[in-house]
mmCIF file with all atom_site columns, all heavy atoms in Angstrom:
data_model
loop_
_atom_site.group_PDB
_atom_site.id
_atom_site.type_symbol
_atom_site.label_atom_id
_atom_site.label_alt_id
_atom_site.label_comp_id
_atom_site.label_asym_id
_atom_site.label_entity_id
_atom_site.label_seq_id
_atom_site.pdbx_PDB_ins_code
_atom_site.Cartn_x
_atom_site.Cartn_y
_atom_site.Cartn_z
_atom_site.occupancy
_atom_site.B_iso_or_equiv
_atom_site.pdbx_formal_charge
_atom_site.auth_seq_id
_atom_site.auth_comp_id
_atom_site.auth_asym_id
_atom_site.auth_atom_id
_atom_site.pdbx_PDB_model_num
ATOM 1   N N   . MET A 1 100 ? 146.113 83.693 68.469 1.00 89.00 ? 126 MET A N   1
ATOM 2   C CA  . MET A 1 100 ? 146.382 84.206 67.136 1.00 89.00 ? 126 MET A CA  1
ATOM 3   C C   . MET A 1 100 ? 147.860 84.581 67.035 1.00 89.00 ? 126 MET A C   1
ATOM 4   O O   . MET A 1 100 ? 148.421 85.162 67.963 1.00 89.00 ? 126 MET A O   1
ATOM 5   C CB  . MET A 1 100 ? 145.509 85.413 66.838 1.00 89.00 ? 126 MET A CB  1
ATOM 6   C CG  . MET A 1 100 ? 144.008 85.136 66.934 1.00 89.00 ? 126 MET A CG  1
ATOM 7   S SD  . MET A 1 100 ? 143.452 83.775 65.861 1.00 89.00 ? 126 MET A SD  1
ATOM 8   C CE  . MET A 1 100 ? 143.709 84.524 64.246 1.00 89.00 ? 126 MET A CE  1
ATOM 9   N N   . GLY A 1 101 ? 148.469 84.266 65.917 1.00 84.00 ? 127 GLY A N   1
ATOM 10  C CA  . GLY A 1 101 ? 149.894 84.520 65.763 1.00 84.00 ? 127 GLY A CA  1
ATOM 11  C C   . GLY A 1 101 ? 150.237 85.736 64.927 1.00 84.00 ? 127 GLY A C   1
ATOM 12  O O   . GLY A 1 101 ? 151.412 85.973 64.634 1.00 84.00 ? 127 GLY A O   1
ATOM 13  N N   . SER A 1 102 ? 149.234 86.505 64.520 1.00 79.00 ? 128 SER A N   1
ATOM 14  C CA  . SER A 1 102 ? 149.494 87.666 63.660 1.00 79.00 ? 128 SER A CA  1
ATOM 15  C C   . SER A 1 102 ? 150.512 88.602 64.288 1.00 79.00 ? 128 SER A C   1
ATOM 16  O O   . SER A 1 102 ? 150.335 89.062 65.413 1.00 79.00 ? 128 SER A O   1
ATOM 17  C CB  . SER A 1 102 ? 148.181 88.420 63.414 1.00 79.00 ? 128 SER A CB  1
ATOM 18  O OG  . SER A 1 102 ? 147.233 87.577 62.814 1.00 79.00 ? 128 SER A OG  1
ATOM 19  N N   . GLY A 1 103 ? 151.573 88.867 63.561 1.00 82.00 ? 129 GLY A N   1
ATOM 20  C CA  . GLY A 1 103 ? 152.601 89.789 64.031 1.00 82.00 ? 129 GLY A CA  1
ATOM 21  C C   . GLY A 1 103 ? 153.640 89.163 64.931 1.00 82.00 ? 129 GLY A C   1
ATOM 22  O O   . GLY A 1 103 ? 154.646 89.790 65.245 1.00 82.00 ? 129 GLY A O   1
ATOM 23  N N   . ILE A 1 104 ? 153.422 87.937 65.374 1.00 85.00 ? 130 ILE A N   1
ATOM 24  C CA  . ILE A 1 104 ? 154.346 87.285 66.296 1.00 85.00 ? 130 ILE A CA  1
ATOM 25  C C   . ILE A 1 104 ? 155.024 86.111 65.593 1.00 85.00 ? 130 ILE A C   1
ATOM 26  O O   . ILE A 1 104 ? 154.372 85.278 64.981 1.00 85.00 ? 130 ILE A O   1
ATOM 27  C CB  . ILE A 1 104 ? 153.603 86.763 67.541 1.00 85.00 ? 130 ILE A CB  1
ATOM 28  C CG1 . ILE A 1 104 ? 152.976 87.910 68.305 1.00 85.00 ? 130 ILE A CG1 1
ATOM 29  C CG2 . ILE A 1 104 ? 154.541 85.981 68.445 1.00 85.00 ? 130 ILE A CG2 1
ATOM 30  C CD1 . ILE A 1 104 ? 153.979 88.840 68.940 1.00 85.00 ? 130 ILE A CD1 1
ATOM 31  N N   . THR A 1 105 ? 156.336 86.059 65.660 1.00 85.00 ? 131 THR A N   1
ATOM 32  C CA  . THR A 1 105 ? 157.083 84.951 65.059 1.00 85.00 ? 131 THR A CA  1
ATOM 33  C C   . THR A 1 105 ? 157.651 83.998 66.100 1.00 85.00 ? 131 THR A C   1
ATOM 34  O O   . THR A 1 105 ? 158.027 82.876 65.776 1.00 85.00 ? 131 THR A O   1
ATOM 35  C CB  . THR A 1 105 ? 158.241 85.489 64.198 1.00 85.00 ? 131 THR A CB  1
ATOM 36  O OG1 . THR A 1 105 ? 159.094 86.309 65.021 1.00 85.00 ? 131 THR A OG1 1
ATOM 37  C CG2 . THR A 1 105 ? 157.707 86.341 63.047 1.00 85.00 ? 131 THR A CG2 1
ATOM 38  N N   . GLY A 1 106 ? 157.725 84.439 67.340 1.00 89.00 ? 132 GLY A N   1
ATOM 39  C CA  . GLY A 1 106 ? 158.277 83.582 68.383 1.00 89.00 ? 132 GLY A CA  1
ATOM 40  C C   . GLY A 1 106 ? 158.014 84.145 69.755 1.00 89.00 ? 132 GLY A C   1
ATOM 41  O O   . GLY A 1 106 ? 157.498 85.261 69.899 1.00 89.00 ? 132 GLY A O   1
ATOM 42  N N   . ALA A 1 107 ? 158.346 83.365 70.768 1.00 93.00 ? 133 ALA A N   1
ATOM 43  C CA  . ALA A 1 107 ? 158.145 83.800 72.151 1.00 93.00 ? 133 ALA A CA  1
ATOM 44  C C   . ALA A 1 107 ? 159.205 83.175 73.036 1.00 93.00 ? 133 ALA A C   1
ATOM 45  O O   . ALA A 1 107 ? 159.732 82.099 72.751 1.00 93.00 ? 133 ALA A O   1
ATOM 46  C CB  . ALA A 1 107 ? 156.755 83.397 72.640 1.00 93.00 ? 133 ALA A CB  1
ATOM 47  N N   . THR A 1 108 ? 159.548 83.874 74.110 1.00 95.00 ? 134 THR A N   1
ATOM 48  C CA  . THR A 1 108 ? 160.428 83.322 75.128 1.00 95.00 ? 134 THR A CA  1
ATOM 49  C C   . THR A 1 108 ? 159.580 83.004 76.348 1.00 95.00 ? 134 THR A C   1
ATOM 50  O O   . THR A 1 108 ? 158.612 83.707 76.646 1.00 95.00 ? 134 THR A O   1
ATOM 51  C CB  . THR A 1 108 ? 161.540 84.314 75.508 1.00 95.00 ? 134 THR A CB  1
ATOM 52  O OG1 . THR A 1 108 ? 160.945 85.558 75.919 1.00 95.00 ? 134 THR A OG1 1
ATOM 53  C CG2 . THR A 1 108 ? 162.470 84.569 74.332 1.00 95.00 ? 134 THR A CG2 1
ATOM 54  N N   . PHE A 1 109 ? 159.936 81.926 77.041 1.00 96.00 ? 135 PHE A N   1
ATOM 55  C CA  . PHE A 1 109 ? 159.121 81.518 78.173 1.00 96.00 ? 135 PHE A CA  1
ATOM 56  C C   . PHE A 1 109 ? 159.922 80.669 79.153 1.00 96.00 ? 135 PHE A C   1
ATOM 57  O O   . PHE A 1 109 ? 161.020 80.189 78.854 1.00 96.00 ? 135 PHE A O   1
ATOM 58  C CB  . PHE A 1 109 ? 157.906 80.715 77.684 1.00 96.00 ? 135 PHE A CB  1
ATOM 59  C CG  . PHE A 1 109 ? 158.248 79.349 77.133 1.00 96.00 ? 135 PHE A CG  1
ATOM 60  C CD1 . PHE A 1 109 ? 158.083 78.198 77.905 1.00 96.00 ? 135 PHE A CD1 1
ATOM 61  C CD2 . PHE A 1 109 ? 158.729 79.190 75.841 1.00 96.00 ? 135 PHE A CD2 1
ATOM 62  C CE1 . PHE A 1 109 ? 158.381 76.937 77.400 1.00 96.00 ? 135 PHE A CE1 1
ATOM 63  C CE2 . PHE A 1 109 ? 159.045 77.941 75.319 1.00 96.00 ? 135 PHE A CE2 1
ATOM 64  C CZ  . PHE A 1 109 ? 158.863 76.812 76.112 1.00 96.00 ? 135 PHE A CZ  1
ATOM 65  N N   . GLN A 1 110 ? 159.336 80.501 80.331 1.00 97.00 ? 136 GLN A N   1
ATOM 66  C CA  . GLN A 1 110 ? 159.816 79.566 81.334 1.00 97.00 ? 136 GLN A CA  1
ATOM 67  C C   . GLN A 1 110 ? 158.644 78.669 81.699 1.00 97.00 ? 136 GLN A C   1
ATOM 68  O O   . GLN A 1 110 ? 157.489 79.086 81.627 1.00 97.00 ? 136 GLN A O   1
ATOM 69  C CB  . GLN A 1 110 ? 160.322 80.294 82.581 1.00 97.00 ? 136 GLN A CB  1
ATOM 70  C CG  . GLN A 1 110 ? 161.527 81.181 82.341 1.00 97.00 ? 136 GLN A CG  1
ATOM 71  C CD  . GLN A 1 110 ? 161.973 81.887 83.613 1.00 97.00 ? 136 GLN A CD  1
ATOM 72  O OE1 . GLN A 1 110 ? 161.217 82.030 84.560 1.00 97.00 ? 136 GLN A OE1 1
ATOM 73  N NE2 . GLN A 1 110 ? 163.225 82.347 83.619 1.00 97.00 ? 136 GLN A NE2 1
ATOM 74  N N   . CYS A 1 111 ? 158.934 77.429 82.095 1.00 97.00 ? 137 CYS A N   1
ATOM 75  C CA  . CYS A 1 111 ? 157.849 76.543 82.494 1.00 97.00 ? 137 CYS A CA  1
ATOM 76  C C   . CYS A 1 111 ? 158.325 75.562 83.560 1.00 97.00 ? 137 CYS A C   1
ATOM 77  O O   . CYS A 1 111 ? 159.527 75.288 83.688 1.00 97.00 ? 137 CYS A O   1
ATOM 78  C CB  . CYS A 1 111 ? 157.277 75.783 81.300 1.00 97.00 ? 137 CYS A CB  1
ATOM 79  S SG  . CYS A 1 111 ? 158.461 74.733 80.407 1.00 97.00 ? 137 CYS A SG  1
ATOM 80  N N   . ALA A 1 112 ? 157.369 75.081 84.331 1.00 97.00 ? 138 ALA A N   1
ATOM 81  C CA  . ALA A 1 112 ? 157.655 74.101 85.379 1.00 97.00 ? 138 ALA A CA  1
ATOM 82  C C   . ALA A 1 112 ? 156.518 73.098 85.431 1.00 97.00 ? 138 ALA A C   1
ATOM 83  O O   . ALA A 1 112 ? 155.367 73.426 85.104 1.00 97.00 ? 138 ALA A O   1
ATOM 84  C CB  . ALA A 1 112 ? 157.813 74.796 86.730 1.00 97.00 ? 138 ALA A CB  1
ATOM 85  N N   . VAL A 1 113 ? 156.835 71.871 85.833 1.00 97.00 ? 139 VAL A N   1
ATOM 86  C CA  . VAL A 1 113 ? 155.830 70.816 85.924 1.00 97.00 ? 139 VAL A CA  1
ATOM 87  C C   . VAL A 1 113 ? 155.891 70.146 87.294 1.00 97.00 ? 139 VAL A C   1
ATOM 88  O O   . VAL A 1 113 ? 156.913 70.135 87.964 1.00 97.00 ? 139 VAL A O   1
ATOM 89  C CB  . VAL A 1 113 ? 156.027 69.743 84.827 1.00 97.00 ? 139 VAL A CB  1
ATOM 90  C CG1 . VAL A 1 113 ? 155.767 70.319 83.453 1.00 97.00 ? 139 VAL A CG1 1
ATOM 91  C CG2 . VAL A 1 113 ? 157.434 69.140 84.897 1.00 97.00 ? 139 VAL A CG2 1
ATOM 92  N N   . ASP A 1 114 ? 154.763 69.619 87.695 1.00 97.00 ? 140 ASP A N   1
ATOM 93  C CA  . ASP A 1 114 ? 154.632 68.785 88.876 1.00 97.00 ? 140 ASP A CA  1
ATOM 94  C C   . ASP A 1 114 ? 153.771 67.594 88.436 1.00 97.00 ? 140 ASP A C   1
ATOM 95  O O   . ASP A 1 114 ? 152.565 67.733 88.273 1.00 97.00 ? 140 ASP A O   1
ATOM 96  C CB  . ASP A 1 114 ? 153.950 69.578 89.998 1.00 97.00 ? 140 ASP A CB  1
ATOM 97  C CG  . ASP A 1 114 ? 153.852 68.811 91.313 1.00 97.00 ? 140 ASP A CG  1
ATOM 98  O OD1 . ASP A 1 114 ? 154.092 67.582 91.319 1.00 97.00 ? 140 ASP A OD1 1
ATOM 99  O OD2 . ASP A 1 114 ? 153.497 69.433 92.319 1.00 97.00 ? 140 ASP A OD2 1
ATOM 100 N N   . ASP A 1 115 ? 154.371 66.437 88.085 1.00 95.00 ? 141 ASP A N   1
ATOM 101 C CA  . ASP A 1 115 ? 155.716 66.051 88.495 1.00 95.00 ? 141 ASP A CA  1
ATOM 102 C C   . ASP A 1 115 ? 156.661 65.790 87.314 1.00 95.00 ? 141 ASP A C   1
ATOM 103 O O   . ASP A 1 115 ? 157.867 65.832 87.490 1.00 95.00 ? 141 ASP A O   1
ATOM 104 C CB  . ASP A 1 115 ? 155.645 64.738 89.289 1.00 95.00 ? 141 ASP A CB  1
ATOM 105 C CG  . ASP A 1 115 ? 154.937 64.864 90.604 1.00 95.00 ? 141 ASP A CG  1
ATOM 106 O OD1 . ASP A 1 115 ? 155.543 65.415 91.524 1.00 95.00 ? 141 ASP A OD1 1
ATOM 107 O OD2 . ASP A 1 115 ? 153.790 64.420 90.723 1.00 95.00 ? 141 ASP A OD2 1
ATOM 108 N N   . GLY A 1 116 ? 156.138 65.463 86.149 1.00 96.00 ? 142 GLY A N   1
ATOM 109 C CA  . GLY A 1 116 ? 157.014 65.076 85.046 1.00 96.00 ? 142 GLY A CA  1
ATOM 110 C C   . GLY A 1 116 ? 156.635 65.744 83.738 1.00 96.00 ? 142 GLY A C   1
ATOM 111 O O   . GLY A 1 116 ? 155.482 66.112 83.506 1.00 96.00 ? 142 GLY A O   1
ATOM 112 N N   . PHE A 1 117 ? 157.625 65.907 82.861 1.00 97.00 ? 143 PHE A N   1
ATOM 113 C CA  . PHE A 1 117 ? 157.422 66.524 81.548 1.00 97.00 ? 143 PHE A CA  1
ATOM 114 C C   . PHE A 1 117 ? 157.445 65.456 80.462 1.00 97.00 ? 143 PHE A C   1
ATOM 115 O O   . PHE A 1 117 ? 158.275 64.549 80.491 1.00 97.00 ? 143 PHE A O   1
ATOM 116 C CB  . PHE A 1 117 ? 158.511 67.558 81.266 1.00 97.00 ? 143 PHE A CB  1
ATOM 117 C CG  . PHE A 1 117 ? 158.511 68.071 79.847 1.00 97.00 ? 143 PHE A CG  1
ATOM 118 C CD1 . PHE A 1 117 ? 157.650 69.085 79.475 1.00 97.00 ? 143 PHE A CD1 1
ATOM 119 C CD2 . PHE A 1 117 ? 159.342 67.521 78.895 1.00 97.00 ? 143 PHE A CD2 1
ATOM 120 C CE1 . PHE A 1 117 ? 157.629 69.554 78.167 1.00 97.00 ? 143 PHE A CE1 1
ATOM 121 C CE2 . PHE A 1 117 ? 159.338 67.979 77.586 1.00 97.00 ? 143 PHE A CE2 1
ATOM 122 C CZ  . PHE A 1 117 ? 158.475 69.004 77.221 1.00 97.00 ? 143 PHE A CZ  1
ATOM 123 N N   . THR A 1 118 ? 156.518 65.594 79.484 1.00 96.00 ? 144 THR A N   1
ATOM 124 C CA  . THR A 1 118 ? 156.498 64.673 78.350 1.00 96.00 ? 144 THR A CA  1
ATOM 125 C C   . THR A 1 118 ? 156.828 65.378 77.047 1.00 96.00 ? 144 THR A C   1
ATOM 126 O O   . THR A 1 118 ? 157.762 65.002 76.343 1.00 96.00 ? 144 THR A O   1
ATOM 127 C CB  . THR A 1 118 ? 155.128 63.974 78.224 1.00 96.00 ? 144 THR A CB  1
ATOM 128 O OG1 . THR A 1 118 ? 154.872 63.230 79.417 1.00 96.00 ? 144 THR A OG1 1
ATOM 129 C CG2 . THR A 1 118 ? 155.124 63.012 77.036 1.00 96.00 ? 144 THR A CG2 1
ATOM 130 N N   . SER A 1 119 ? 156.067 66.418 76.692 1.00 97.00 ? 145 SER A N   1
ATOM 131 C CA  . SER A 1 119 ? 156.328 67.082 75.417 1.00 97.00 ? 145 SER A CA  1
ATOM 132 C C   . SER A 1 119 ? 155.620 68.433 75.334 1.00 97.00 ? 145 SER A C   1
ATOM 133 O O   . SER A 1 119 ? 154.715 68.734 76.114 1.00 97.00 ? 145 SER A O   1
ATOM 134 C CB  . SER A 1 119 ? 155.842 66.208 74.246 1.00 97.00 ? 145 SER A CB  1
ATOM 135 O OG  . SER A 1 119 ? 154.428 66.092 74.267 1.00 97.00 ? 145 SER A OG  1
ATOM 136 N N   . ILE A 1 120 ? 156.079 69.227 74.378 1.00 97.00 ? 146 ILE A N   1
ATOM 137 C CA  . ILE A 1 120 ? 155.406 70.454 73.961 1.00 97.00 ? 146 ILE A CA  1
ATOM 138 C C   . ILE A 1 120 ? 155.080 70.285 72.493 1.00 97.00 ? 146 ILE A C   1
ATOM 139 O O   . ILE A 1 120 ? 155.948 69.897 71.698 1.00 97.00 ? 146 ILE A O   1
ATOM 140 C CB  . ILE A 1 120 ? 156.297 71.701 74.153 1.00 97.00 ? 146 ILE A CB  1
ATOM 141 C CG1 . ILE A 1 120 ? 156.725 71.844 75.616 1.00 97.00 ? 146 ILE A CG1 1
ATOM 142 C CG2 . ILE A 1 120 ? 155.565 72.960 73.690 1.00 97.00 ? 146 ILE A CG2 1
ATOM 143 C CD1 . ILE A 1 120 ? 157.731 72.967 75.836 1.00 97.00 ? 146 ILE A CD1 1
ATOM 144 N N   . MET A 1 121 ? 153.829 70.571 72.112 1.00 96.00 ? 147 MET A N   1
ATOM 145 C CA  . MET A 1 121 ? 153.430 70.478 70.713 1.00 96.00 ? 147 MET A CA  1
ATOM 146 C C   . MET A 1 121 ? 152.829 71.802 70.278 1.00 96.00 ? 147 MET A C   1
ATOM 147 O O   . MET A 1 121 ? 152.006 72.375 70.982 1.00 96.00 ? 147 MET A O   1
ATOM 148 C CB  . MET A 1 121 ? 152.413 69.354 70.506 1.00 96.00 ? 147 MET A CB  1
ATOM 149 C CG  . MET A 1 121 ? 152.948 67.972 70.802 1.00 96.00 ? 147 MET A CG  1
ATOM 150 S SD  . MET A 1 121 ? 151.736 66.663 70.432 1.00 96.00 ? 147 MET A SD  1
ATOM 151 C CE  . MET A 1 121 ? 151.719 66.730 68.637 1.00 96.00 ? 147 MET A CE  1
ATOM 152 N N   . LEU A 1 122 ? 153.277 72.282 69.117 1.00 95.00 ? 148 LEU A N   1
ATOM 153 C CA  . LEU A 1 122 ? 152.733 73.498 68.526 1.00 95.00 ? 148 LEU A CA  1
ATOM 154 C C   . LEU A 1 122 ? 152.097 73.122 67.200 1.00 95.00 ? 148 LEU A C   1
ATOM 155 O O   . LEU A 1 122 ? 152.773 72.623 66.303 1.00 95.00 ? 148 LEU A O   1
ATOM 156 C CB  . LEU A 1 122 ? 153.837 74.536 68.315 1.00 95.00 ? 148 LEU A CB  1
ATOM 157 C CG  . LEU A 1 122 ? 153.409 75.852 67.654 1.00 95.00 ? 148 LEU A CG  1
ATOM 158 C CD1 . LEU A 1 122 ? 152.363 76.573 68.493 1.00 95.00 ? 148 LEU A CD1 1
ATOM 159 C CD2 . LEU A 1 122 ? 154.625 76.759 67.414 1.00 95.00 ? 148 LEU A CD2 1
ATOM 160 N N   . ASN A 1 123 ? 150.778 73.306 67.107 1.00 94.00 ? 149 ASN A N   1
ATOM 161 C CA  . ASN A 1 123 ? 150.022 72.974 65.899 1.00 94.00 ? 149 ASN A CA  1
ATOM 162 C C   . ASN A 1 123 ? 150.228 71.527 65.475 1.00 94.00 ? 149 ASN A C   1
ATOM 163 O O   . ASN A 1 123 ? 150.386 71.206 64.301 1.00 94.00 ? 149 ASN A O   1
ATOM 164 C CB  . ASN A 1 123 ? 150.398 73.930 64.760 1.00 94.00 ? 149 ASN A CB  1
ATOM 165 C CG  . ASN A 1 123 ? 150.107 75.369 65.111 1.00 94.00 ? 149 ASN A CG  1
ATOM 166 O OD1 . ASN A 1 123 ? 149.088 75.673 65.723 1.00 94.00 ? 149 ASN A OD1 1
ATOM 167 N ND2 . ASN A 1 123 ? 151.017 76.277 64.752 1.00 94.00 ? 149 ASN A ND2 1
#
Side-chain angles (χ1 to χ4, degrees):
M126 302 304 292
S128 301
I130 298 293
T131 58
T134 55
F135 70 100
Q136 296 179 339
C137 60
V139 293
D140 184 348
D141 293 285
F143 170 83
T144 300
S145 67
I146 302 174
M147 296 184 71
L148 178 61
N149 300 320

